[in-house]
């Protein structure tokens, strides 16, 4: 009897807790609505800023650069770059719509990551995923060089189809979350998925046997290059994170850029080695396409290797000048940080005086 009384009292007690939960949930929902309102306001604000900045940029072109206004024009141009950097940072805190590809694959689910730490983790995971697969790829390519065993070949090529397909999805999510990954690298992974698919259905005939060893050596080489890319990309990622952390002054913008240039100078010869290998693959496949037993796969793969060679070479050559603009953008982030810091110091000083 005593137990049943406790049960009723407990239920009553729980009902009070539920009331509290209900209130918290109400506040939470109100805040969510408020948040959505602010998100919309900020998104509209960004569009407005960009629209007007574009007009200003256009009109600035027609302003004559006379001796008296040259300084003002330069200042305005710098302010426009600075403002673009600020807008980019604001954009990173707002949710974005999925692109067409993600909409088709995932539907209209929200994949925006609004927290900087989580964004970093996602990118870090992406780089580690690529590293693990390139290690597996190296081992499988080496095994395929040693053993000519069709099932092993097919397992490897199927892994490539799955890997490149997965990359396209992960990179689309990174793009939604503000990654500045160039269109070509994403396109490259779409094309690689197609190429791996064609390799998978390439009939096991004379032409394939003439090409397979070269293809496996190519993949082993690419795996090594991917390992080097991992070292470079994770170095960039951790250093950028350190730069972005508002309390971390251990790393300077100059230090970061000199590290980046050293990393790039080391990596680039290996990258171009890979591109020459791609061109050589295109050439060998083109020669093979004239063989009597050659199927359409040979010619199409030759064209694909040529496209990949061209896209990679052009994009990598374009990266170097684009680094100059990036340097400026980072400098402005730091300038922004310093101006915010001095503003805070001033505010604290004023508060201190008021309290005295
Ligand atoms: N794949 C995926 N993401 C890439 C990428 C690639 N090949 N190249 C650059 N990115 C990403 C960067 O991580 C960065 O992301 P973030 O905005 O989320 O921080 C963004 O794109 C902008 O990078 P960017 O400043 O243009 O270049 P970078 O300094 O990071 O890298 C290279 C420059 C040249 C080292 C890099 O593009 C690269 O390794 N390219 C070679 C790829 C290749 O040829 N692969 C085939 C091997 S033979």
């Amino acid at each position: 009897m005593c137990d049943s009384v406790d049960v009723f009292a407990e239920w009553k007690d729980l009902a009070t807790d539920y009331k509290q939960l209900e209130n918290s949930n109400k506040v939470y929902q109100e805040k969510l609505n408020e948040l959505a309102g602010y998100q919309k306001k900020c998104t509209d604000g960004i569009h407005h800023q960009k629209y007007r900045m574009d007009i200003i940029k256009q009109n600035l072109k027609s302003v004559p650069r006379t001796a008296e206004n040259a300084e003002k024009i330069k200042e305005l141009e710098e302010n426009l770059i600075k403002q673009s950097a600020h807008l980019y940072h604001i954009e990173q805190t707002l949710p974005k719509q999925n692109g067409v590809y993600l909409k088709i694959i995932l539907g209209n689910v929200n994949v925006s990551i609004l927290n900087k730490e989580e964004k970093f983790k996602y990118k870090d995971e992406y780089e580690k995923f690529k590293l693990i697969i390139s290690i597996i790829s190296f081992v499988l390519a080496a095994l395929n060089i040693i053993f000519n065993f069709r099932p092993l070949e097919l397992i490897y090529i199927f892994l490539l189809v799955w890997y490149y397909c997965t990359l396209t999805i992960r990179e689309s999510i990174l793009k939604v979350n503000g990654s500045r990954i160039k269109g070509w690298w994403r396109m490259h992974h779409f094309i690689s998925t197609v190429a791996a698919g064609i390799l998978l259905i390439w009939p096991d005939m004379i032409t394939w046997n003439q090409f397979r060893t070269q293809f496996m050596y190519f993949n082993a080489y690419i795996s090594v290059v991917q390992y080097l890319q991992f070292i470079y990309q994770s170095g960039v990622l951790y250093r950028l994170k350190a730069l972005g952390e508002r309390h971390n002054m251990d790393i300077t913008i100059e230090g970061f850029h000199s590290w980046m240039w050293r990393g790039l100078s080391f990596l680039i010869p290996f990258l171009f080695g890979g591109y020459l290998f791609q061109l050589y693959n295109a050439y060998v496949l083109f020669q093979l396409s004239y063989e009597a037993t050659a199927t359409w796969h040979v010619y199409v793969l030759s064209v694909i290797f040529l496209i990949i060679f061209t896209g990679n070479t052009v994009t990598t050559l374009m990266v170097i000048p684009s680094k100059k603009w990036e340097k400026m953008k980072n400098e402005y982030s730091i300038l922004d940080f310093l101006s915010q810091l001095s503003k805070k110091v001033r505010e604290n000083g004023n508060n201190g005086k008021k309290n005295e």
Side-chain angles (χ1 to χ4, degrees):
M1 190 64 196
C2 186
D3 276 357
S4 69
V5 169
D6 279 350
V7 166
F8 291 123
E10 246 179 69
W11 174 244
K12 216 171 162 189
D13 195 38
L14 191 62
T16 327
D17 287 353
Y18 177 71
K19 266 267 168 276
Q20 272 175 12
L21 168 66
E22 223 175 21
N23 286 341
S24 305
N25 184 250
K26 206 173 143 209
V27 175
Y28 167 67
Q29 288 195 26
E30 278 166 10
K31 295 275 178 217
L32 273 185
N33 287 338
E34 209 178 322
L35 180 74
Y38 277 114
Q39 282 175 342
K40 190 172 175 330
K41 232 183 206 173
C42 291
T43 309
D44 292 348
I46 287 176
H47 286 149
H48 177 71
Q49 288 277 329
K50 281 188 175 169
Y51 173 72
R52 291 198 58 187
M53 276 166 63
D54 278 348
I55 296 176
I56 294 172
K57 271 182 210 162
Q58 280 302 321
N59 292 342
L60 192 61
K61 279 182 198 157
S62 54
V63 177
R65 279 181 190 260
T66 54
E68 67 268 16
N69 66 10
E71 194 58 36
K72 266 168 82 182
I73 293 177
K74 194 172 165 252
E75 196 183 327
L76 181 53
E77 279 170 348
E78 277 183 14
N79 281 337
L80 284 166
I81 296 175
K82 221 192 262 189
Q83 189 68 351
S84 308
H86 293 328
L87 291 179
Y88 175 79
H89 286 295
I90 295 177
E91 261 181 325
Q92 299 319 302
T93 62
L94 296 167
K96 283 209 199 98
Q97 286 271 327
N98 289 352
V100 181
Y101 182 61
L102 277 185
K103 272 189 187 153
I104 294 170
I105 291 190
L106 305 177
N108 215 357
V109 65
N110 186 358
V111 293
S112 297
I113 308 168
L114 303 181
N115 178 307
K116 253 189 176 175
E117 194 64 31
E118 293 297 319
K119 263 186 203 189
F120 168 80
K121 264 195 211 156
Y122 190 74
K123 174 81 188 208
D124 190 38
E125 223 180 71
Y126 159 82
E127 295 296 345
K128 283 183 182 145
F129 169 75
K130 288 206 296 190
L131 175 70
I132 292 168
I133 301 289
S134 44
I135 293 169
I136 298 173
S137 173
F138 182 82
V139 173
L140 283 175
L143 285 176
N144 273 295
I145 292 170
I146 302 166
F147 307 106
N148 190 347
F149 183 49
R150 186 65 178 160
L152 188 64
E153 241 168 49
L154 290 177
I155 289 172
Y156 182 40
I157 299 172
F158 184 75
L159 175 83
L160 292 180
V161 177
W162 174 80
Y163 169 61
Y164 285 118
C165 195
T166 312
L167 278 194
T168 62
I169 300 170
R170 283 186 183 238
E171 282 159 4
S172 300
I173 295 176
L174 283 170
K175 187 80 193 157
V176 169
N177 286 293
S179 171
R180 283 154 299 170
I181 174 169
K182 300 209 166 35
W184 167 254
W185 301 128
R186 290 177 62 212
M187 178 61 86
H188 176 180
H189 296 143
F190 279 107
I191 298 175
S192 301
T193 312
V194 174
I198 296 175
L199 280 164
L200 197 62
I201 56 169
W202 184 349
D204 181 17
M205 288 207 300
I206 305 162
T207 44
W208 164 246
N209 278 306
Q210 281 171 306
F211 181 64
R212 76 173 290 285
T213 311
Q214 175 179 335
F215 177 69
M216 296 303 167
Y217 273 113
F218 168 71
N219 278 307
Y221 179 78
I222 291 297
S223 303
V224 174
V225 175
Q226 272 175 352
Y227 171 69
L228 299 176
Q229 271 176 266
F230 169 80
I231 295 175
Y232 170 79
Q233 289 294 359
S234 50
V236 169
L237 191 61
Y238 279 88
R239 279 167 179 77
L240 271 182
K241 184 174 180 262
L243 267 178
E245 272 168 7
R246 307 247 131 164
H247 307 294
N248 194 330
M249 295 302 279
D250 299 346
I251 177 162
T252 62
I253 192 89
E254 289 306 325
F256 169 70
H257 278 278
S258 81
W259 180 89
M260 189 190 71
W261 284 118
R262 261 184 291 134
L264 267 182
S265 333
F266 178 75
L267 184 60
I268 279 177
F270 290 95
L271 289 177
F272 280 96
Y275 303 160
L276 286 179
F277 212 147
Q278 282 159 353
L279 183 64
Y280 180 60
N281 285 344
Y283 169 75
V284 169
L285 285 165
F286 185 69
Q287 296 282 324
L288 287 176
S289 70
Y290 285 102
E291 299 251 327
T293 55
T295 50
W296 61 268
H297 311 76
V298 188
Y299 182 72
V300 173
L301 280 170
S302 157
V303 173
I304 289 180
F305 270 112
L306 188 65
I307 294 173
I308 290 180
F309 157 77
T310 315
N312 284 349
T313 309
V314 171
T315 314
T316 302
L317 286 176
M318 273 165 40
V319 163
I320 296 150
S322 77
K323 290 282 164 195
K324 246 186 162 177
W325 145 251
E326 196 182 290
K327 184 170 189 257
M328 246 167 153
K329 216 162 141 184
N330 282 333
E331 273 166 0
Y332 284 130
S333 298
I334 296 295
L335 283 177
D336 180 34
F337 160 62
L338 291 174
S339 78
Q340 282 186 20
L341 194 72
S342 61
K343 213 166 120 191
K344 264 200 180 144
V345 169
R346 257 183 280 126
E347 275 170 14
N348 286 347
N350 288 344
N351 288 344
K353 273 183 196 153
K354 269 184 208 161
N355 292 340
E356 274 167 17

